[in-house]
Amino acid sequence: MSSSFDSVRVAVIGGGPAGLMAAEALARPGVQVDVYDAMPSVGRKFLMAGKGGMNITHSEPLEPFLGRYGARREQIAPLLDAFGPDALRAWLQGLGVETFVGSSGRVFPADMKAAPMLRAWLHRLREAGVRFHMRHRWNGWTSPSSRSDNDTTTHALTFETPEGVQTVTCDAVVFALGGASWPRLGSDAAWVPLMTARDIPIAPLRPANCGFDADWSPYLRERFAGQPVKPVAITVTDVDNRVHNRQGEILLTETGLEGSLIYAMSAFIRDRILADGEVTISLDLAPGLALERVVAEVTRPRGSRSMSSHLHGRIGIGGVKLALLHEILSKEAFSDVDVLAQAIKALPVKLVRTRPIAEAISTAGGIPFEALDERMMIEQLPGAFCAGEMLDWEAPTGGYLLTACFASGLVAGRGALDYLKARGASV
């Protein structure tokens, strides 16, 4: 299909899901799209995320789904209206990738792998004319502002490449540069000072879906690091004094705690540490038993058995759970059956630091939605659009991160298309 887009060129900077989705939205009607990425190949973080099984989205109803985006629910909702979890699954089917819903409600490709999906997607993009430029690290514009002549704005972008610095001129640009987690895979936040130099507001980048330090004793680190604690429930009070409680599984590490349940609560824990320097969470080591039952079992006569054997036999508290009780409680407290029973249902664990942002699964912070229009265009940079994790939002693991990245990329791509049409291009 020929169009007056034939001479229009758009640069997409960043080859993750958001960038590739923007490229597809633009290439379909005939725009010349060039994707630039600093790494030797695209989708590296995407492929790494899929190594343990590619969790692409979630099957829960849209209302609770939207609730996973917390304070940014209102901004994410229009993106998912354009391309929600059902649309994502249909899109995958169009790529030849069948999906299924796991027991947790999470949605996976039938083969559980990310690589076949990415290969099929890249093939379709190349068939649509998308050109890929690897080892091209964006390092800003050639001038302090984009050039406007006769109401036509162009962007002159510079890239560090193996052949030296190159300049690219385009009619619009979509930035999908990621956050600051996993910098070895390309998400290194090198774009932050470049945007700041253009007076684009940036909310400070913070680790999300991350672990926390607890300053364990050498004994606990050496004997129990790497062991899961399950089932367990966490209670934490956020900075607004709201109490959050959730049950699942955590992982005891050499430095503290990680795991799916910690990630789900990480925003509350992180913000409390940022505000107060530390936070004490409460662990329920027997979430299936009421306090009265635990008290009854702990105080039950145990004969010659040790308290440790008694706890293991009566309520299944042993191994790493028992070690946590010994770690937190003094010998005197452990010997006090009333204190011990209370601790089993509400063990106070002090978390003192967030793990480094480079270790986090994702990041919060970035370019705020308030700096964008409804097309995802930066208000003060006509023709420049943003998508994906470089925006100021966060979500827990479980497919929510990827779904919003795909959706924001599609909306940014369509926004760039609308922008080009408004400036004279038409299909």
Side-chain angles (χ1 to χ4, degrees):
M1 178 174 62
S2 63
S3 75
S4 61
F5 282 133
D6 293 343
S7 61
V8 173
R9 186 178 185 186
V10 176
V12 174
I13 306 180
L20 297 181
M21 187 58 76
E24 180 167 317
L26 285 156
R28 192 171 293 159
V31 174
Q32 177 55 62
V33 181
D34 291 271
V35 174
Y36 300 88
D37 197 284
M39 304 303 287
S41 58
V42 299
R44 292 204 160 195
K45 186 176 177 183
F46 177 73
L47 291 172
M48 178 64 74
K51 279 200 168 181
M54 184 74 257
N55 176 202
I56 202 75
T57 188
H58 203 285
S59 64
E60 70 181 351
L62 188 59
E63 187 63 24
F65 196 106
L66 285 172
R68 306 297 185 181
Y69 299 97
R72 285 304 190 184
R73 173 194 175 118
E74 182 179 347
Q75 289 78 21
I76 297 294
L79 307 182
L80 298 191
D81 284 343
F83 195 71
D86 291 339
L88 176 54
R89 294 186 70 184
W91 176 84
L92 285 168
Q93 189 171 31
L95 273 180
V97 178
E98 297 297 327
T99 59
F100 73 95
V101 180
S103 58
S104 65
R106 299 183 180 199
V107 177
F108 302 88
D111 62 3
M112 298 290 287
K113 298 178 181 178
M117 172 192 156
L118 183 60
R119 282 196 298 269
W121 194 7
L122 293 177
H123 175 75
R124 186 162 76 183
L125 290 172
R126 290 190 176 99
E127 288 286 303
V130 176
R131 299 183 299 203
F132 292 87
H133 309 269
M134 298 297 98
R135 295 186 174 90
H136 278 59
R137 177 177 292 277
W138 177 61
N139 61 5
W141 290 264
T142 59
S143 60
S145 62
S146 55
R147 187 181 73 251
S148 295
D149 299 311
N150 299 323
D151 199 37
T152 301
T153 301
T154 59
H155 289 264
L157 309 165
T158 63
F159 294 88
E160 295 176 9
T161 79
E163 289 74 39
V165 176
Q166 296 184 7
T167 300
V168 170
T169 302
C170 55
D171 300 284
V173 55
V174 178
F175 294 104
L177 287 158
S181 62
W182 297 9
R184 70 187 186 280
L185 300 179
S187 296
D188 58 7
W191 55 269
V192 170
L194 302 176
M195 291 290 184
T196 302
R198 300 295 291 266
D199 296 323
I200 308 301
I202 308 287
L205 296 179
R206 308 178 303 280
N209 292 295
C210 56
F212 299 90
D213 289 345
D215 288 345
W216 300 133
S217 66
Y219 174 81
L220 194 69
R221 288 199 305 268
E222 294 166 8
R223 294 288 300 271
F224 295 94
Q227 294 196 21
V229 185
K230 59 180 182 179
V232 67
I234 291 179
T235 300
V236 61
T237 302
D238 67 20
V239 291
D240 296 316
N241 289 318
R242 294 173 298 194
V243 177
H244 303 267
N245 178 273
R246 193 171 298 181
Q247 181 175 330
E249 176 179 333
I250 63 178
L251 182 72
L252 193 146
T253 70
E254 288 188 0
T255 59
L257 296 175
E258 292 188 13
S260 58
L261 183 55
I262 290 290
Y263 301 151
M265 309 286 271
S266 63
F268 311 127
I269 299 171
R270 176 201 65 217
D271 291 348
R272 279 290 307 277
I273 290 176
L274 289 174
D276 303 330
E278 62 183 39
V279 61
T280 297
I281 65 173
S282 175
L283 296 186
D284 182 349
L285 301 178
L289 300 177
L291 175 61
E292 293 76 15
R293 168 74 184 281
V294 172
V295 171
E297 295 296 348
V298 171
T299 57
R300 183 188 295 269
R302 53 189 173 90
S304 61
R305 290 196 304 174
S306 67
M307 178 58 78
S308 296
S309 297
H310 182 67
L311 292 177
H312 186 266
R314 300 305 308 180
I315 54 177
I317 297 293
V320 66
K321 288 186 176 182
L322 184 63
L324 277 169
L325 287 168
H326 281 294
E327 177 79 6
I328 303 300
L329 300 179
S330 65
K331 288 184 178 180
E332 293 75 14
F334 191 86
S335 300
D336 186 320
V337 291
D338 293 321
V339 172
L340 179 59
Q342 292 286 340
I344 289 169
K345 292 298 292 180
L347 184 68
V349 176
K350 183 188 294 184
L351 301 177
V352 295
R353 288 176 299 276
T354 303
R355 294 299 300 161
I357 197 168
E359 296 179 12
I361 292 175
S362 59
T363 51
I367 297 177
F369 284 86
E370 291 77 12
L372 311 176
D373 67 11
E374 69 280 359
R375 300 172 297 181
M376 309 296 282
M377 186 174 78
I378 302 174
E379 296 265 14
Q380 63 196 76
L381 270 183
F385 299 78
C386 289
E389 202 179 327
M390 67 185 294
L391 298 172
D392 181 20
W393 63 283
E394 63 180 307
T397 57
Y400 309 105
L401 287 163
L402 271 178
T403 302
C405 283
F406 277 104
S408 65
L410 180 70
V411 171
R414 288 176 176 173
L417 199 62
D418 290 342
Y419 168 83
L420 295 170
K421 289 178 181 179
R423 304 188 86 76
S426 62
V427 177

